[in-house]
């Protein structure tokens, strides 16, 4: 990315030499991201990240009278866009997960009521995430893609959290639209991409110049796009060279160690999950207090999603899975980087049991009475 901040300042839309150098860098990144998605270069639209991709998929496709089927465990970028679509006159169905956090494809099929079958006047869009950002639970997108095809529905996957962690192929997923974000695969923040299957009638959110084949106006973020391209290249490599298996192994060791603490369990246990995530419920504990205690020891964890941290609201994902308010507030998400080492896991396993014991000893009555 550095040369595109420090040396090459060209605008990729300019025809002069500097502009064309920037354009070449974007073309190269587009080729890599297309390989990552498993699509044509022309089906890749660079944007500002997952929120924009999710918003574009929904607001760009769904009109008044259309039917949007999504789930109650999506990221707020989908949920809020779905609320907005409902306000504008679309029919919106939120499918609830099973207790383990998995969406049952049969529930999606049930939501596809015959009276809302698509025709020329009415569209159906199914929007389901690949991996949940709080539990890591991987959703059965291929089966849902088959159902979408059977009903002639459009299918969007929010793959922000799953991209780079599981083998990826939009053809196999059977989707029309797929959103990814660079910063969830060790890339820079504020840049992402969307796969738009050729012929999908999605309207752009941003209007203006003819950038990105008129699908996303605005001068391209050259350094960011170059960073996304590199992140996609490294993600493909990590999926092939055993890195993600190594991360999954360390995640499992971390999880086993944490489960050694009395009164703990895993949210989303027994499901296929992204390699890097575990979500642990600590009985008789305030999650927020543990986040702060661990931060002081150099361990960065989150309660719920990072986008909502700072709020003391319980996670909508865990509540949708049937956890009570207090159990949801007593749950923390541990995410592992690709660079995680055995020593990192040892450190965390040394620090967490002590912190949990201390916090439980400090305020047993208050916490107990709130469980
Ligand atoms: N979707 C999911 C599942 C996410 O985890 C996130 C970010 O945390 C987003 C969408 C939003 O992506 P961005 O932060 O790139 O806008």
């Amino acid at each position: 990315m550095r040369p595109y901040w420090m040396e090459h300042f060209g605008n990729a839309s300019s025809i002069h030499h500097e502009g064309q150098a920037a354009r070449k860098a974007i073309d190269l990144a587009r080729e890599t991201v297309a390989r990552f998605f498993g699509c044509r270069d022309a089906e890749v639209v660079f944007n500002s990240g997952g929120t924009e991709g999710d918003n574009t998929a929904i607001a760009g496709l769904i009109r008044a009278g259309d039917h949007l089927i999504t789930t109650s465990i999506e990221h707020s970028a989908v949920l809020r866009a779905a609320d907005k679509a409902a306000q504008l006159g679309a029919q919106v169905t939120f499918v609830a997960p099973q207790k383990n956090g998995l969406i049952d494809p049969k529930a999606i099929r049930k939501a596809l009521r015959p009276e809302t079958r698509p025709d020329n006047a009415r569209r159906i869009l199914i929007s389901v995430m690949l991996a949940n950002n709080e539990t890591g639970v991987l959703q059965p997108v291929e089966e849902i893609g088959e159902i979408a095809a059977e009903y002639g529905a459009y299918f969007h996957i929010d793959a922000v959290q799953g991209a780079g962690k599981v083998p990826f192929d939009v053809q196999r997923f059977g989707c029309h639209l797929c959103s990814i974000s660079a910063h969830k695969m060790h890339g820079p923040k504020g840049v992402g991409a969307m796969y738009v299957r050729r012929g999908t009638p999605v309207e752009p959110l941003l209007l203006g110049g003819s950038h990105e084949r008129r699908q996303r106006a605005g001068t391209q973020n050259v350094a960011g796009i170059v960073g996304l391209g590199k992140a996609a290249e490294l993600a493909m490599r990590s999926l092939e060279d055993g890195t993600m298996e190594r991360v999954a192994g360390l995640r499992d060791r971390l999880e086993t160690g944490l489960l050694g603490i009395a009164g703990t369990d895993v949210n989303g246990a027994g499901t296929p999950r992204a390699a890097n995530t575990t979500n642990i419920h600590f009985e008789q504990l305030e999650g927020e207090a543990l986040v702060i205690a661990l931060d002081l020891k150099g361990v960065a964890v989150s309660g719920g999603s990072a986008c909502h941290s700072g709020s003391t609201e319980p996670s909508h994902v865990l509540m949708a899975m049937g956890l009570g308010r207090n159990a949801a507030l007593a749950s923390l998400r541990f995410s592992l980087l690709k660079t995680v080492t055995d020593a990192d896991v040892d450190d965390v396993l040394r620090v967490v049991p002590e912190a949990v014991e201390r916090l439980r000893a400090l305020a047993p009555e208050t916490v107990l009475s709130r469980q």
Side-chain angles (χ1 to χ4, degrees):
M1 295 169 73
R2 187 175 283 174
Y4 298 94
W5 279 319
M6 311 295 284
E7 294 157 37
H8 306 303
F9 302 108
N11 179 333
S13 304
S14 302
I15 47 178
H16 50 59
H17 185 77
E18 271 296 296
Q20 287 316 294
R23 172 68 192 253
K24 212 165 144 193
I26 290 185
D27 286 348
L28 212 67
R30 196 182 305 281
E31 258 176 56
T32 312
V33 174
R35 230 173 339 109
F36 180 81
F37 276 130
C39 71
R40 301 182 186 91
D41 293 8
E43 292 172 315
V44 174
V45 179
F46 290 121
N47 61 20
S48 66
T51 301
E52 186 181 330
D54 289 350
N55 280 214
T56 305
I58 292 171
L61 203 92
I62 284 288
R63 308 154 304 183
D66 292 341
H67 187 190
L68 169 65
I69 297 162
T70 186
T71 82
S72 51
I73 56 166
E74 298 298 310
H75 188 269
S76 48
V78 166
L79 294 176
R80 296 293 79 78
D83 291 344
K84 178 87 181 183
Q87 278 168 23
L88 296 174
Q91 213 186 326
V92 181
T93 307
F94 294 97
V95 172
Q98 303 170 98
K99 278 202 168 315
N100 59 7
L102 270 174
I103 298 295
D104 183 352
K106 289 199 286 297
I108 300 283
R109 186 186 286 282
K110 212 167 141 200
L112 285 157
R113 292 182 293 277
E115 69 272 19
T116 64
R117 262 188 182 269
D119 53 39
N120 288 336
R122 190 201 286 274
R123 292 177 185 160
I124 297 182
L125 173 66
I126 301 171
S127 183
V128 177
M129 65 204 324
L130 177 58
N132 183 269
N133 45 313
E134 295 187 29
T135 59
V137 173
L138 293 167
Q139 301 303 336
V141 291
E142 286 176 47
E143 275 179 74
I144 295 170
E146 282 168 18
I147 295 171
E150 199 184 308
Y151 280 78
Y154 293 105
F155 183 29
H156 166 245
I157 299 177
D158 172 346
V160 169
Q161 203 64 228
K165 290 156 197 157
V166 290
F168 209 85
D169 180 359
V170 290
Q171 318 300 334
R172 184 163 49 78
F173 294 162
C175 60
H176 300 78
L177 300 160
C178 181
S179 311
I180 63 167
S181 186
H183 73 106
K184 289 299 194 301
M185 30 189 223
H186 293 252
K189 293 170 186 65
V191 62
M194 178 149 80
Y195 157 69
V196 181
R197 189 193 288 181
R198 188 156 68 178
T200 308
V202 64
E203 293 282 332
L205 277 193
L206 301 181
L207 305 173
S210 53
H211 314 86
E212 298 295 310
R213 294 174 191 261
R214 299 191 178 278
Q215 294 189 84
R216 203 275 185 178
T219 300
Q220 286 134 317
N221 170 2
V222 183
I225 290 170
V226 167
L228 169 60
K230 191 70 192 177
E233 179 192 316
L234 295 176
M236 287 187 281
R237 199 182 302 164
S238 303
L239 284 167
E240 280 164 13
D241 69 5
T243 300
M244 294 323 287
E245 281 86 355
R246 190 182 69 82
V247 172
L250 288 172
R251 187 272 316 270
D252 291 346
R253 185 157 86 74
L254 172 68
E255 197 169 273
T256 307
L258 293 173
L259 290 175
I261 303 171
T264 49
D265 52 274
V266 176
N267 296 315
T271 59
R273 282 180 295 154
N276 70 319
T277 308
T278 181
N279 192 306
I280 306 283
H281 169 219
F282 296 88
E283 285 172 19
Q284 300 172 22
L285 200 84
E286 285 210 71
E288 202 170 74
L290 186 55
V291 171
I292 295 164
L294 294 180
D295 185 40
L296 292 173
K297 300 279 184 190
V299 179
V301 297
S302 302
S305 107
C307 318
H308 298 288
S309 51
S311 82
T312 43
E313 282 306 298
S315 147
H316 70 280
V317 173
L318 300 181
M319 301 275 280
M321 287 164 62
L323 269 77
R325 189 182 158 82
N326 292 324
L329 285 169
S331 295
L332 293 189
R333 174 171 65 124
F334 294 75
S335 305
L336 286 73
L337 302 175
K338 278 200 299 202
T339 50
V340 65
T341 62
D342 267 301
D344 292 331
V345 173
D346 291 341
D347 280 350
V348 174
L349 288 178
R350 197 177 50 247
V351 168
V352 178
E354 276 171 23
V356 170
E357 194 179 334
R358 194 163 41 79
L359 287 170
R360 281 180 177 163
L362 269 180
E365 311 81 19
T366 10
V367 176
L368 268 173
S369 64
R370 297 222 240 132
Q371 293 285 320

